[in-house]
Amino acid sequence: GAGVSQSPSNKVTEKGKDVELRCDPISGHTALYWYRQRLGQGLEFLIYFQGNSAPDKSGLPSDRFSAERTGESVSTLTIQRTQQEDSAVYLCASSLAGVRGGQYEQYFGPGTRLTVT
Amino acid sequence: SQQGEEDPQALSIQEGENATMNCSYKTSINNLQWYRQNSGRGLVHLILIRSNEREKHSGRLRVTLDTSKKSSSLLITASRAADTASYFCALTGNQFYFGTGTSLTVIP
């Protein structure tokens, strides 16, 4: 079956512009995660959706970042007024339900490489 | 930080040798997972070890977990050039945390 898909694969934007990143999880996966990975570094947790529960937004770095998820399907991560430090690869992952998804492996999308000039 | 910290940060070995990577953490965990990442893109799950397990095998991979020392190790035996990648441990407790990663280079 299809894996996790993300779009666009690459995005170059000017400082101050808003960007929207999309993630299509694997069908049937109730948990969805967004991560940020700066060049040569580890993954930084941003936000977690689990079914119809309130999302865990504790990893969002500022109020310029927001994310939505429609039911158990597509999610969008929005970054407003982008800054150069927002340049990174943004990874989305989905998994079957569990205690915060931790009992199950996460399936990752290929990521969106965001460059803010 | 509750993130896992991995060492070494970088490891270079000859093909056929074994590679060992370590992950240390500070919080209590439900389980620990290891992932592999090629070329800075999506991660691929390798293996999950639960907090009540001490060792687990999958093909050429062997993972150990010592909850008293809050550490885990990933051993790749008989390494191949195709094993070249970054390897991350991921902790699952109240949240989900990824380690800082070990960059492995296997020289043919």
Side-chain angles (χ1 to χ4, degrees), chain B residues 16-49:
Chain B
E17 294 181 339
N18 296 340
T20 300
M21 290 159 269
N22 303 295
C23 172
S24 60
Y25 57 92
K26 297 179 181 178
T27 188
S28 60
I29 61 172
N30 295 328
N31 60 58
L32 186 146
Q33 304 183 28
W34 284 89
Y35 287 80
R36 166 197 168 118
Q37 183 180 39
N38 288 82
S39 305
R41 290 290 181 157
L43 281 72
V44 175
H45 179 264
L46 295 176
I47 195 166
L48 179 153
I49 185 165

Coordinates of all heavy atoms in Angstrom, one line a residue, chain B residues 16-49:
Chain B
G16 N 32.6 -5.3 6.5 CA 32.8 -6.6 7.2 C 33.0 -6.5 8.7 O 32.8 -7.5 9.4
E17 N 33.4 -5.3 9.1 CA 33.5 -5.1 10.6 C 32.2 -4.9 11.2 O 31.2 -4.7 10.6 CB 34.4 -3.9 10.8 CG 35.9 -4.1 10.4 CD 36.7 -2.9 10.7 OE1 36.2 -1.8 10.8 OE2 38.0 -3.0 10.8
N18 N 32.2 -5.0 12.5 CA 30.9 -4.7 13.3 C 30.9 -3.2 13.7 O 31.9 -2.6 14.0 CB 30.9 -5.6 14.6 CG 30.8 -7.1 14.2 OD1 30.4 -7.4 13.1 ND2 31.1 -7.9 15.2
A19 N 29.7 -2.7 13.8 CA 29.5 -1.3 14.2 C 28.6 -1.3 15.4 O 27.6 -1.9 15.5 CB 28.9 -0.5 13.1
T20 N 29.0 -0.6 16.4 CA 28.3 -0.4 17.7 C 28.0 1.0 18.0 O 28.9 1.9 17.9 CB 29.0 -1.0 18.9 OG1 29.3 -2.4 18.6 CG2 28.2 -0.9 20.1
M21 N 26.7 1.3 18.2 CA 26.3 2.7 18.5 C 25.5 2.6 19.8 O 24.8 1.6 20.1 CB 25.3 3.2 17.4 CG 26.0 3.5 16.1 SD 24.9 3.5 14.7 CE 25.0 1.8 14.2
N22 N 25.7 3.6 20.6 CA 25.1 3.7 22.0 C 24.1 4.8 22.1 O 24.3 5.9 21.5 CB 26.2 3.8 23.0 CG 27.2 2.6 22.9 OD1 26.8 1.5 23.1 ND2 28.4 3.0 22.6
C23 N 23.1 4.6 22.9 CA 22.1 5.6 23.2 C 21.9 5.7 24.7 O 21.6 4.7 25.3 CB 20.8 5.3 22.5 SG 19.4 6.3 22.9
S24 N 22.0 6.9 25.3 CA 21.8 7.1 26.7 C 20.6 8.1 26.9 O 20.5 8.9 26.0 CB 23.0 7.6 27.4 OG 23.5 8.8 26.9
Y25 N 19.9 7.9 27.9 CA 18.7 8.7 28.1 C 18.5 9.0 29.6 O 19.2 8.4 30.5 CB 17.5 8.1 27.5 CG 17.2 6.7 28.1 CD1 16.3 6.5 29.1 CD2 17.7 5.6 27.5 CE1 16.0 5.3 29.6 CE2 17.5 4.3 27.9 CZ 16.6 4.2 29.0 OH 16.4 2.9 29.5
K26 N 17.6 9.9 30.0 CA 17.5 10.3 31.3 C 16.1 10.0 32.0 O 16.0 9.8 33.2 CB 17.7 11.9 31.4 CG 19.1 12.3 31.0 CD 19.2 13.8 31.1 CE 20.6 14.3 30.7 NZ 20.7 15.8 30.7
T27 N 15.1 9.9 31.1 CA 13.8 9.6 31.7 C 13.4 8.1 31.7 O 14.1 7.3 31.1 CB 12.7 10.4 30.8 OG1 11.5 10.3 31.4 CG2 12.6 9.8 29.4
S28 N 12.3 7.8 32.3 CA 11.9 6.4 32.2 C 11.2 6.2 30.9 O 10.6 7.2 30.3 CB 10.9 6.1 33.4 OG 9.8 6.9 33.3
I29 N 11.2 5.0 30.3 CA 10.7 4.8 29.0 C 9.7 3.6 29.0 O 9.8 2.7 29.9 CB 11.8 4.6 28.0 CG1 12.6 3.3 28.4 CG2 12.7 5.8 27.8 CD1 13.6 2.9 27.3
N30 N 8.8 3.6 28.0 CA 8.0 2.4 27.8 C 8.7 1.4 26.8 O 8.6 0.2 27.0 CB 6.6 2.8 27.2 CG 5.8 3.7 28.1 OD1 5.9 3.5 29.3 ND2 5.1 4.6 27.6
N31 N 9.3 2.0 25.8 CA 10.1 1.2 24.9 C 11.1 2.1 24.2 O 11.1 3.3 24.4 CB 9.2 0.4 23.9 CG 8.4 1.3 23.1 OD1 8.9 2.2 22.4 ND2 7.1 1.2 23.1
L32 N 12.0 1.5 23.5 CA 13.0 2.2 22.7 C 13.1 1.7 21.3 O 13.0 0.4 21.1 CB 14.3 2.1 23.4 CG 15.5 2.9 22.9 CD1 16.4 3.4 24.0 CD2 16.3 2.2 21.9
Q33 N 13.1 2.5 20.4 CA 13.2 2.1 19.0 C 14.5 2.7 18.3 O 15.0 3.7 18.7 CB 12.0 2.6 18.2 CG 10.6 2.2 18.8 CD 9.4 2.7 18.0 OE1 9.5 2.8 16.8 NE2 8.3 2.8 18.7
W34 N 14.9 2.0 17.3 CA 16.0 2.4 16.5 C 15.6 2.6 15.1 O 14.8 1.8 14.5 CB 17.2 1.4 16.5 CG 18.0 1.4 17.8 CD1 17.7 0.7 18.9 CD2 19.1 2.2 18.1 NE1 18.7 1.0 19.9 CE2 19.5 1.9 19.4 CE3 19.9 3.1 17.3 CZ2 20.7 2.5 20.0 CZ3 21.0 3.7 17.9 CH2 21.4 3.4 19.2
Y35 N 16.0 3.7 14.5 CA 15.7 4.1 13.1 C 16.9 4.4 12.3 O 18.0 4.8 12.9 CB 14.8 5.4 13.1 CG 13.4 5.1 13.6 CD1 13.1 5.1 14.9 CD2 12.3 5.0 12.6 CE1 11.8 4.9 15.3 CE2 11.0 4.8 13.0 CZ 10.7 4.8 14.4 OH 9.5 4.6 14.8
R36 N 16.8 4.3 11.0 CA 17.9 4.6 10.1 C 17.4 5.7 9.2 O 16.3 5.7 8.8 CB 18.2 3.3 9.3 CG 19.1 3.4 8.1 CD 19.0 2.2 7.3 NE 19.6 2.4 6.0 CZ 20.6 1.7 5.5 NH1 21.1 0.8 6.2 NH2 21.1 2.0 4.3
Q37 N 18.4 6.6 8.8 CA 18.0 7.6 7.9 C 19.1 7.7 6.8 O 20.3 7.9 7.1 CB 17.9 9.0 8.6 CG 17.5 10.1 7.7 CD 17.3 11.4 8.5 OE1 18.1 11.7 9.3 NE2 16.3 12.2 8.1
N38 N 18.7 7.7 5.6 CA 19.6 7.9 4.5 C 19.4 9.3 3.9 O 18.2 9.8 3.8 CB 19.3 6.9 3.3 CG 19.8 5.5 3.7 OD1 19.0 4.8 4.4 ND2 20.9 5.2 3.3
S39 N 20.5 10.0 3.6 CA 20.4 11.3 2.9 C 19.5 12.3 3.4 O 18.9 13.1 2.7 CB 20.0 11.0 1.4 OG 20.9 10.0 0.8
G40 N 19.4 12.4 4.8 CA 18.6 13.4 5.4 C 17.1 13.4 5.1 O 16.5 14.5 5.2
R41 N 16.6 12.3 4.6 CA 15.2 12.3 4.3 C 14.4 11.4 5.3 O 14.8 11.4 6.5 CB 15.0 11.8 2.9 CG 15.4 12.8 1.9 CD 14.4 14.0 1.8 NE 14.8 15.0 0.8 CZ 14.0 15.8 0.3 NH1 12.7 15.8 0.6 NH2 14.4 16.7 -0.6
G42 N 13.4 10.7 4.9 CA 12.6 10.0 5.9 C 13.3 8.9 6.6 O 14.3 8.3 6.1
L43 N 12.9 8.6 7.8 CA 13.5 7.5 8.6 C 12.8 6.2 8.4 O 11.6 6.2 8.1 CB 13.4 7.9 10.1 CG 14.4 8.9 10.6 CD1 14.2 10.3 10.1 CD2 14.5 8.9 12.1
V44 N 13.5 5.2 8.6 CA 13.0 3.8 8.4 C 13.2 3.1 9.8 O 14.3 3.1 10.3 CB 13.7 3.0 7.3 CG1 13.2 1.6 7.3 CG2 13.4 3.7 6.0
H45 N 12.1 2.5 10.3 CA 12.2 1.8 11.5 C 13.0 0.5 11.4 O 12.9 -0.2 10.4 CB 10.7 1.4 11.9 CG 10.6 0.7 13.2 ND1 10.5 -0.7 13.3 CD2 10.6 1.1 14.5 CE1 10.5 -1.1 14.5 NE2 10.5 0.0 15.3
L46 N 13.8 0.2 12.4 CA 14.7 -1.0 12.4 C 14.2 -2.0 13.4 O 14.0 -3.1 13.0 CB 16.1 -0.6 12.7 CG 16.9 0.3 11.6 CD1 18.2 0.6 12.1 CD2 16.9 -0.4 10.3
I47 N 14.0 -1.5 14.6 CA 13.7 -2.5 15.7 C 13.2 -1.8 16.9 O 13.5 -0.6 17.1 CB 15.0 -3.3 16.0 CG1 14.7 -4.6 16.8 CG2 16.0 -2.4 16.7 CD1 15.9 -5.5 16.9
L48 N 12.3 -2.5 17.6 CA 11.7 -1.9 18.9 C 12.0 -2.9 20.0 O 11.9 -4.1 19.8 CB 10.2 -1.8 18.7 CG 9.4 -1.3 19.9 CD1 8.1 -0.6 19.4 CD2 9.0 -2.4 20.9
I49 N 12.5 -2.4 21.1 CA 12.7 -3.2 22.3 C 11.9 -2.6 23.4 O 11.9 -1.4 23.7 CB 14.2 -3.3 22.6 CG1 14.5 -4.3 23.8 CG2 14.9 -1.9 22.9 CD1 15.9 -4.7 23.9

